[in-house]
Amino acid sequence: MMLHIPEVLTNAEVAELRALIDAAPWVDGNETSGTQSALAKRNAQLPEGSPAAAQAGEAILDALERNPLFVAAALPQVVFPPLFNRYAGGEAFGLHVDNSIRQSRDGRTRIRSDLSATLFLTEPGDYDGGELVVEDTFGTHEVKLPAGDMILYPASSLHQVMPVSRGARVSSFFWIQSLVREDARRELLFQMDLAIQQLAGKVGAGAPELVSLTGAYHNLLRMWAET
Ligand code: NI
């Protein structure tokens, strides 16, 4: 499942974050790539674990915790410390699949990447190209979102970032290990959760049928969750 999560950050939060990271030193993006990815990747990146990346990453993790749509869809167990990249002057990232296991530079976080996320930090009108193109079983999807919006997609997907021909595209990207490893199960739980919330608005959260459905949701989650 691909999910667009709007307004993870407000415009003011994006501006603050950009001021912080734009002023920091950037390095060649291949620092974080596997060998195969490194062949396809041309961009710049904030050094992993640098003070600016750590501070900006914390702000994003806080915003994610407060975002009910993200929590319901990702069922996050561990979110990898967010990283930051910038594409300009024709830079791109060719077709690839993200590494299955990710370890942070300090060795403190090691996750299985179930979900990949890109949080856009540049308004789409400020650059040309730079679409995130994701291939899934339903075909090819081009994603270019307003600053502050995020796309969540299965980390198993083939994807690429198209060349940026004007301006610069700055984003945060990271991975999530979910409590529910399988995409199809996670999607089913998400649909059920959304339907329960919508029903609660119509019939009241205390309706016995709704209590029963909510119980079924939790019992499925209990059955499938790995903690
Ligand atoms: Ni990738």
Side-chain angles (χ1 to χ4, degrees):
M1 175 180 68
M2 288 185 73
L3 184 69
H4 171 187
I5 302 179
E7 293 172 34
V8 171
L9 299 176
T10 63
N11 288 343
E13 287 168 332
V14 169
E16 201 177 319
L17 214 133
R18 281 295 304 268
L20 172 67
I21 63 176
D22 289 355
W26 291 66
V27 294
D28 188 294
N30 282 318
E31 276 207 355
T32 60
S33 308
T35 325
Q36 192 188 349
S37 292
L39 297 174
K41 181 176 178 181
R42 284 181 296 124
N43 66 10
Q45 202 162 300
L46 267 192
E48 192 180 336
S50 69
Q55 193 184 336
E58 279 300 321
I60 291 172
L61 292 177
D62 286 348
L64 291 175
E65 266 177 36
R66 296 191 305 264
N67 191 298
L69 190 58
F70 169 75
V71 174
L75 297 170
Q77 182 170 25
V78 185
V79 182
F80 197 83
L83 302 172
F84 298 85
N85 61 20
R86 182 176 63 206
Y87 295 85
E91 287 174 331
F93 196 162
L95 200 63
H96 67 280
V97 170
D98 292 343
N99 284 353
S100 50
I101 306 292
R102 283 277 168 184
Q103 181 148 1
S104 62
R105 187 140 297 191
D106 62 11
R108 278 193 278 180
T109 310
R110 187 174 68 171
I111 67 161
R112 178 190 66 237
S113 57
D114 295 320
L115 289 158
S116 295
T118 297
L119 173 59
F120 288 76
L121 297 173
T122 310
E123 291 298 349
D126 292 347
Y127 61 101
D128 289 335
E131 296 85 0
L132 171 68
V133 179
V134 181
E135 295 181 6
D136 70 8
T137 46
F138 293 102
T140 299
H141 309 274
E142 277 195 10
V143 184
K144 189 169 181 174
L145 300 177
D149 286 19
M150 188 170 97
I151 188 82
L152 197 60
Y153 59 100
S156 54
S157 314
L158 275 169
H159 58 278
Q160 60 184 317
V161 176
M162 304 310 284
V164 172
S165 54
R166 177 185 65 87
R169 171 201 196 265
V170 175
S171 311
S172 175
F173 63 104
F174 48 93
W175 302 273
I176 299 113
Q177 179 169 320
S178 177
L179 290 165
V180 176
R181 175 182 193 150
E182 272 184 49
D183 200 51
R185 287 178 174 176
R186 200 182 320 109
E187 183 169 2
L188 198 60
L189 287 167
F190 179 55
Q191 286 171 352
M192 201 171 168
D193 189 359
L194 288 183
I196 286 170
Q197 288 177 42
Q198 285 161 4
L199 263 181
K202 289 183 183 169
V203 301
E209 298 86 345
L210 201 55
V211 173
S212 173
L213 266 177
T214 305
Y217 169 87
H218 280 288
N219 289 333
L220 278 174
L221 180 55
R222 202 186 319 279
M223 190 185 300
W224 291 337
E226 304 164 57
T227 61

